[in-house]
Amino acid sequence: NRGAIRYSSGEFEAALEAAEQARRIDEGHPQALYLQARSLFNLERFDDSKVAVEQALAFDPEYGHAYNLLGLIGIRCNRYEEAAESLASAARFEPDLAFVQANHGRALELAGRHDEAIQAFTAALAINPEHGAARAGLARIDDTRLETESEEIEPQESVAALANAAPVPPGLDSDGENVPED
């Protein structure tokens, strides 16, 4: 409990120390391992955080919050497919948490799996219609799709417009105006 209090106050070193003390009392306590992993994550010690969260999952393989953290570690380390897999497990074990669904959507988005990301972001919004990260994720995907569509359409439209254009007679510009002579 001391570790959780320290963690919520942003004292990650103190939270880590409290989690390690709790582990000395009960080495396999999943919540102590999870708090240790969260503290390590916030201290940007991602490899150590991954080890701790995997230990927590070894003691409690249905610990949704631990899978969520494992997914966040994957995102921070640019391992998006791995993150998506972990966050799919988190979403399975914590289906009513909007932030878990939104995190899953972000991992899928970063992995380039936009249709699945839309489903995860939509699931987050079904739980909490005001969830900002889910709304932002959907907007990013829409913006990406619009950019991709315009990139694909513009060259085709330009080529088609040129192919159908009548030749410009000598002495006139493309608007049909006389070109001044030098």
Side-chain angles (χ1 to χ4, degrees):
N1 287 336
R2 278 194 318 250
I5 292 167
R6 302 275 188 186
Y7 182 88
S8 65
S9 299
E11 300 174 47
F12 305 125
E13 286 285 349
L16 177 58
E17 184 180 314
E20 289 171 351
Q21 287 175 354
R23 289 202 55 216
R24 284 192 286 275
I25 296 167
D26 183 356
E27 187 176 316
H29 195 277
Q31 286 79 16
L33 284 159
Y34 175 70
L35 180 59
Q36 181 184 28
R38 282 180 57 189
S39 299
L40 290 164
F41 177 83
N42 284 304
L43 293 168
E44 298 186 5
R45 294 172 51 190
F46 303 121
D47 290 337
D48 294 334
S49 179
K50 184 176 179 183
V51 169
V53 77
E54 287 174 341
Q55 289 174 348
L57 288 167
F59 288 104
D60 183 356
E62 295 182 4
Y63 195 173
H65 288 279
Y67 281 109
N68 183 68
L69 181 57
L70 191 58
L72 295 178
I73 293 166
I75 289 172
R76 290 294 293 269
C77 295
N78 301 320
R79 294 188 301 256
Y80 305 128
E81 287 294 338
E82 184 180 313
E85 184 180 319
S86 296
L87 287 159
S89 294
R92 186 173 60 251
F93 293 119
E94 301 292 347
D96 297 327
L97 295 177
F99 71 89
V100 169
Q101 300 292 338
N103 290 342
H104 186 214
R106 182 65 176 146
L108 290 164
E109 175 189 0
L110 291 167
R113 296 163 55 184
H114 292 161
D115 290 337
E116 293 170 86
I118 289 169
Q119 291 175 347
F121 288 135
T122 302
L125 291 172
I127 297 164
N128 177 1
E130 303 302 317
H131 198 278
R135 287 180 179 276
L138 286 174
R140 278 191 308 272
I141 291 172
D142 285 345
D143 288 347
T144 301
R145 286 184 173 184
L146 287 175
E147 288 173 14
T148 303
E149 287 172 6
S150 67
E151 288 172 7
E152 292 172 1
I153 292 171
E154 284 180 2
Q156 292 171 353
E157 288 178 344
S158 298
V159 170
L162 291 174
N164 294 329
V168 178
L172 298 177
D173 64 16
S174 60
D175 293 326
E177 299 293 321
N178 287 326
V179 177
E181 294 180 20
D182 292 337

